[in-house]
Amino acid sequence: MNDLPHTHPPHDAGGRFEGPVPRAEHEAAHWEKEADAIRMLLSDAKRRLFTTDESRRVQEQLDSATYWAMPYYERWILAFSSLLIEKGIVTESEVLAEEQRLRDAGQDVVEAHHNHHDDHGHDHDHDHEHHPYQEDHDAAEERLSPLRLRGVAMRNLLLAKGVLTAAEIREEIARMDARSPNNGAAIVVRAWTDAAYAQRLAEDAVAAAAELGLDAAGTKLSALFNTESRHHLVVCTLCSCYPRSILGRPPAWYKSRAYRARAVRDPRGILAEFGTTLPPGVELRVHDSNAELRYLVVPKRPAGTEGWDAERLAALVTRDGMIGVTTV
């Protein structure tokens, strides 16, 4: 398969790049969680200030070098800040003035930013006691990058204008932190042990998840059942679409250029990197997620687990298995 022309948008990674998948796990830093929460709140049903497609449009206009050099959550900050300026929610002069105020106050220094919920002289409803010190993964950096600084400035302005509250940001971070692969494992185990539930899951995964108290948050969810003869693999070649409402934030490698490109170009090679070799004759199907449709892989139940209780079965189900890069 030949690489696509250089004029092809940089975000559309499917089939375009080579290289191993970077497997290092990365726990989201607090500033990343906050950027993610602000993006979600600004586009939620209460505010509807922009859509996923509008957010993508900003990122898709970047040239390839800029797009791939810019950290994932900085691209989100670029997107929502650009859209809010474009729509007149804040003005560019307000943003530039707040950025300069932060610099003048020494708040562009990373170490000082660890306690970044101080009010800096503004009544922003920060509710300090709910924000214990948390060292970010990149705490060794001395200065905030321009986009991280912009993220702080945008947060301050949105709070000052009443578009968001500190409590809403806090609660959104907590909601996402509470979502984990354990939720998906509960779905898988129920499907393994209840044939009627498995059928309902196949027909309407959102409703089946709701039976277990799990809210898919307005996303269409499809369950993919691995069998003796078929294995499913999930990717998002355009960005990072993932069943976040069930599994939580996607792993860093899922968002990487190598995975997004090679999952559709060399899926068996991807599986091999994760230690997975499918038996001869097993069909491999790759599913490309999008903003409207997310996938959850239901791994094939291992032989010899008949009679196991739910807790023991759930211990077999992993995040990577529900993406399809591994088997149980």
Side-chain angles (χ1 to χ4, degrees):
M1 179 175 180
N2 294 324
D3 284 345
L4 294 168
H6 294 297
T7 55
H8 204 72
H11 69 284
D12 191 353
R16 300 180 62 204
F17 306 102
E18 299 288 358
V21 176
R23 296 281 303 284
E25 295 288 340
H26 165 61
E27 173 64 27
H30 189 79
W31 74 268
E32 295 173 315
K33 293 181 179 182
E34 187 166 270
D36 187 61
I38 290 173
R39 173 183 68 91
M40 298 296 291
L41 290 167
L42 292 174
S43 60
D44 68 8
K46 176 181 177 180
R47 279 158 279 256
R48 299 182 186 275
L49 293 178
F50 55 79
T51 66
T52 298
D53 288 338
E54 288 179 298
S55 179
R56 281 182 168 172
R57 185 246 305 165
V58 175
Q59 300 180 58
E60 290 164 9
Q61 290 175 337
L62 297 171
D63 64 84
S64 183
T66 302
Y67 179 89
W68 290 111
M70 190 178 294
Y72 176 81
Y73 288 103
E74 289 195 9
R75 292 204 298 267
W76 285 122
I77 294 172
L78 172 69
F80 71 66
S81 61
S82 299
L83 288 168
L84 293 182
I85 292 171
E86 180 182 302
K87 294 172 181 286
I89 308 301
V90 298
T91 66
E92 186 170 10
S93 60
E94 287 175 323
V95 176
L96 293 174
E98 178 62 11
E99 289 176 347
Q100 188 58 52
R101 189 195 68 77
L102 289 167
R103 292 189 193 95
D104 293 343
Q107 294 301 325
D108 61 335
V109 178
V110 171
E111 289 185 354
H113 188 55
H114 283 146
N115 190 21
H116 63 285
H117 295 285
D118 289 345
D119 61 14
H120 311 315
H122 294 287
D123 182 12
H124 285 336
D125 181 29
H126 285 287
D127 203 2
H128 302 174
E129 67 273 14
H130 291 281
H131 297 286
Y133 173 86
Q134 176 180 350
E135 185 170 351
D136 291 342
H137 76 289
D138 47 6
E141 296 181 8
E142 295 182 357
R143 297 280 174 179
L144 299 182
S145 68
L147 279 170
R148 281 188 63 182
L149 183 66
R150 173 144 297 197
V152 178
M154 290 298 299
R155 180 190 194 277
N156 290 350
L157 291 170
L158 290 170
L159 295 179
K161 290 174 178 286
V163 178
L164 302 175
T165 67
E168 287 177 316
I169 296 174
R170 206 164 48 237
E171 290 162 6
E172 180 62 29
I173 292 173
R175 274 194 296 272
M176 186 56 66
D177 282 345
R179 296 165 180 161
S180 79
N182 292 335
N183 296 333
I187 294 174
V188 170
V189 169
R190 180 70 179 275
W192 280 353
T193 57
D194 184 339
Y197 179 83
Q199 183 61 37
R200 295 195 298 276
L201 180 63
E203 294 172 353
D204 187 341
V206 172
E211 291 184 36
L212 303 184
L214 301 173
D215 183 4
T219 301
K220 184 177 180 181
L221 182 67
S222 179
L224 307 169
F225 292 77
N226 285 349
T227 67
E228 294 286 350
S229 59
R230 180 176 296 163
H231 183 90
H232 299 281
L233 177 67
V234 178
V235 66
C236 178
T237 59
L238 295 179
C239 185
S240 59
C241 294
Y242 181 82
R244 295 163 51 103
S245 57
I246 303 297
L247 302 183
R249 299 178 187 89
W253 57 259
Y254 184 85
K255 301 174 288 188
S256 70
R257 173 164 60 179
Y259 183 78
R260 289 162 57 186
R262 289 181 50 223
V264 294
R265 181 175 188 164
D266 178 27
R268 292 183 188 272
I270 289 286
L271 293 184
E273 287 185 27
F274 282 82
T276 303
T277 302
L278 300 179
V282 174
E283 176 190 14
L284 175 57
R285 290 192 175 184
V286 179
H287 302 262
D288 197 354
S289 304
N290 57 54
E292 287 74 39
L293 178 60
R294 314 294 170 89
Y295 298 101
L296 178 73
V297 175
V298 179
K300 182 170 63 69
R301 181 174 178 173
T305 59
E306 297 78 9
W308 287 23
D309 62 23
E311 183 178 1
R312 191 177 180 190
L313 288 171
L316 299 175
V317 184
T318 66
R319 176 201 66 196
D320 292 0
M322 291 180 283
I323 297 172
V325 293
T326 63
T327 58
V328 174

